[in-house]
């Protein structure tokens, strides 16, 4: 297949997932719960997680049709986490629209998030057959790890000392565990062997870590027009990202003092962003981040050597698309 064929496949399958999600909450009552839920599920998104489910099922000899409901389920789970994250962060917008708690209220948003998680299990069960226990176990483990990762992320906001190793553990749980779970579920539903399930899970885990570090990198280095939001938001909010923690480890003298002020003041002013970007440039942390992204992507690709060359190619395309994205 050529690159255009992969793009076409992705767009076709994304539309199918969107159709399932659009109909998931129709004809349910009360409307006070399900209309806000539909607002979230119809708010767009790349649908990368459902795609990981489908591609993993196909890679082990299964069919997309065996995993469509599970693919929708992981997207519902993802949106559950976003709704609750937005409440915790008091975020105003998500995907260019008002966040749920801003459009409605906190109580509605909390309940909608809970309902999305519940219905996610309902949809997951539609695709479960003889390996139901394994599929549900993988899904539940992913959910637990996401919650643990979010808790660590919240803890880091108030901690002055966070190591790079602790940060990597956090993103493994908060971001990468979800990708790992998607790949495992797809492989299980496609009838994969233990070796294949493990291999695809490792692909998801490593590409998930690369994805998050790429997010950190884009926040300070992306083209604002393509990125869709102001550069340097992580520094303004005082987030302890890969770049910030790497810079802190490598810095000395005045640079270190300036970085420590970000922690003390829990952020910086927007007019200070360029001066901090210069620190990052001088310390080489942008290149460090790029090297880490390449390293984790290589690990991801190496883990799926058990697959046929044909099946590996679409995962290579997906990995390249994720780590070379501009938004």
């Amino acid at each position: 297949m050529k690159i255009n064929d992969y793009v076409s496949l992705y767009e076709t399958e994304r539309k199918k997932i969107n159709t399932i999600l659009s109909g998931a909450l129709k004809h349910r009552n009360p409307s006070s719960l399900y209309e806000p839920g539909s607002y979230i599920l119809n708010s767009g998104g790349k649908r990368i997680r459902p795609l990981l489910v489908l591609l993993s099922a196909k890679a082990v000899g299964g069919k997309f049709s065996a995993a469509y409901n599970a693919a929708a389920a992981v997207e519902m789970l993802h949106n559950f986490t976003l709704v609750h994250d937005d409440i915790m962060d008091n975020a105003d917008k998500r995907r260019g629209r008002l966040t749920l708690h801003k459009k409605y209220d906190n109580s509605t948003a909390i309940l909608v998030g809970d309902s999305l998680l519940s219905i996610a299990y309902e949809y997951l069960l539609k695709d479960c057959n003889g390996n139901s226990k394994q599929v549900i176990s993988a899904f539940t483990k992913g959910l637990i790890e996401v919650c643990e990762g979010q808790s660590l992320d919240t803890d880091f906001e108030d901690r002055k000392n966070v190591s790079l190793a602790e940060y990597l553990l956090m993103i493994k749980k908060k971001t990468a565990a979800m990708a790992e779970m998607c790949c495992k579920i797809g492989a299980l539903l496609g009838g994969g062997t233990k070796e294949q399930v493990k291999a695809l899970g490792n692909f998801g885990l490593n590409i998930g870590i690369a994805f998050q570090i790429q997010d950190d990198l884009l926040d300070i280095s992306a083209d604002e027009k393509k990125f869709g939001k102001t550069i340097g938001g992580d520094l303004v909010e005082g987030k302890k990202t890969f770049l910030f923690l790497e810079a802190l480890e490598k810095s000395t003298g005045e640079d270190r003092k300036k970085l420590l002020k970000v922690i003390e003041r829990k952020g910086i002013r927007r007019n200070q962003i360029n001066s901090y970007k210069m620190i990052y440039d001088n310390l080489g942390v942008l290149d460090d981040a790029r090297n880490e992204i390449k390293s984790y992507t290589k690990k991801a690709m190496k883990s799926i050597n058990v697959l046929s060359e044909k099946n590996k190619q679409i995962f290579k395309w997906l990995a390249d698309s994720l780590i070379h994205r501009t938004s």
Side-chain angles (χ1 to χ4, degrees):
M1 290 177 75
K2 297 178 181 178
I3 289 176
N4 286 343
D5 295 329
Y6 293 138
V7 174
S8 178
L9 175 67
Y10 165 61
E11 291 298 340
T12 298
E13 296 309 316
R14 185 169 71 157
K15 286 177 183 176
K16 290 178 182 178
I17 293 299
N18 283 339
T19 299
I20 296 171
L21 293 171
S22 294
L25 305 185
K26 281 184 179 179
H27 313 302
R28 293 184 189 244
N29 289 301
S31 59
S32 57
L33 174 63
Y34 294 117
E35 282 181 11
S38 293
Y39 172 80
I40 287 298
L41 291 183
N42 293 321
S43 64
K46 296 181 178 72
R47 311 307 192 202
I48 297 299
R49 291 158 191 83
L51 186 66
L52 286 172
V53 175
L54 297 177
L55 293 181
S56 297
K58 187 82 168 177
V60 298
K63 296 180 179 180
F64 286 164
S65 58
Y68 278 125
N69 291 305
V74 300
E75 188 66 14
M76 290 179 199
L77 171 59
H78 175 55
N79 278 272
F80 145 75
T81 67
L82 297 183
V83 170
H84 285 199
D85 281 1
D86 286 342
I87 297 168
M88 294 172 75
D89 295 340
N90 197 28
D92 293 326
K93 292 209 172 170
R94 166 77 66 180
R95 296 167 180 162
R97 307 169 87 196
L98 282 175
T99 50
L100 200 66
H101 68 284
K102 292 293 183 182
K103 184 172 175 63
Y104 296 92
D105 54 61
N106 280 5
S107 296
T108 298
I110 291 168
L111 196 55
V112 166
D114 292 345
S115 73
L116 287 176
L117 177 57
S118 304
I119 295 167
Y121 272 100
E122 181 183 287
Y123 268 72
L124 182 68
L125 286 165
K126 289 182 180 184
D127 284 344
C128 286
N129 293 307
N131 56 2
S132 300
K133 186 174 180 180
Q134 289 174 286
V135 174
I136 294 168
S137 177
F139 189 83
T140 304
K141 184 175 182 287
L143 168 60
I144 291 168
E145 293 210 69
V146 168
C147 292
E148 289 174 351
Q150 177 63 23
S151 184
L152 288 173
D153 197 15
T154 304
D155 290 346
F156 292 172
E157 291 176 13
D158 297 318
R159 278 179 51 189
K160 291 189 175 181
N161 297 309
V162 175
S163 69
L164 204 49
E166 288 176 312
Y167 174 77
L168 289 171
L169 175 63
M170 184 273 288
I171 65 172
K172 278 181 182 178
K173 288 178 173 290
K174 185 176 178 180
T175 303
M178 180 85 82
E180 178 186 22
M181 175 265 285
C182 291
C183 292
K184 280 187 172 181
I185 284 175
L188 286 166
L189 291 172
T193 64
K194 284 184 179 180
E195 185 184 24
Q196 289 172 326
V197 172
K198 183 179 179 181
L200 282 159
N202 285 335
F203 172 87
L205 182 70
N206 285 295
I207 208 65
I209 296 170
F211 181 92
Q212 184 57 57
I213 297 174
Q214 173 75 351
D215 257 11
D216 293 352
L217 181 61
L218 284 172
D219 184 78
I220 197 67
S221 65
D223 181 313
E224 279 195 6
K225 290 181 181 177
K226 292 179 181 177
F227 195 43
K229 54 186 177 181
T230 306
I231 295 302
D234 287 344
L235 280 165
V236 171
E237 294 173 28
K239 289 186 176 179
K240 299 175 181 72
T241 64
F242 177 90
L243 292 134
F244 179 81
L245 294 171
E246 180 78 356
L248 196 60
E249 280 194 5
K250 296 176 78 172
S251 62
T252 57
E254 289 302 312
D255 284 348
R256 184 168 180 80
K257 287 179 183 177
K258 284 186 74 173
L259 290 166
L260 288 171
K261 283 181 181 177
V262 179
I263 298 174
E264 291 166 15
R265 298 173 182 175
K266 293 191 174 182
I268 64 171
R269 298 188 301 275
R270 292 209 171 271
N271 63 7
Q272 296 177 296
I273 291 171
N274 283 337
S275 67
Y276 278 90
K277 187 178 179 183
M278 285 180 65
I279 294 174
Y280 284 1
D281 281 330
N282 293 336
L283 292 172
V285 298
L286 300 182
D287 286 335
D288 291 343
R290 292 185 186 104
N291 289 333
E292 283 296 295
I293 292 163
K294 287 178 185 176
S295 175
Y296 279 106
T297 303
K298 282 183 181 178
K299 287 179 184 177
M301 292 308 302
K302 187 177 180 181
S303 70
I304 55 171
N305 281 336
V306 298
L307 302 180
S308 69
E309 196 59 36
K310 180 183 176 182
N311 285 324
K312 279 195 289 186
Q313 286 305 310
I314 194 163
F315 285 98
K316 184 179 185 304
W317 166 78
L318 180 62
D320 288 342
S321 300
L322 291 176
I323 66 170
H324 292 119
R325 72 192 194 284
T326 56
S327 64

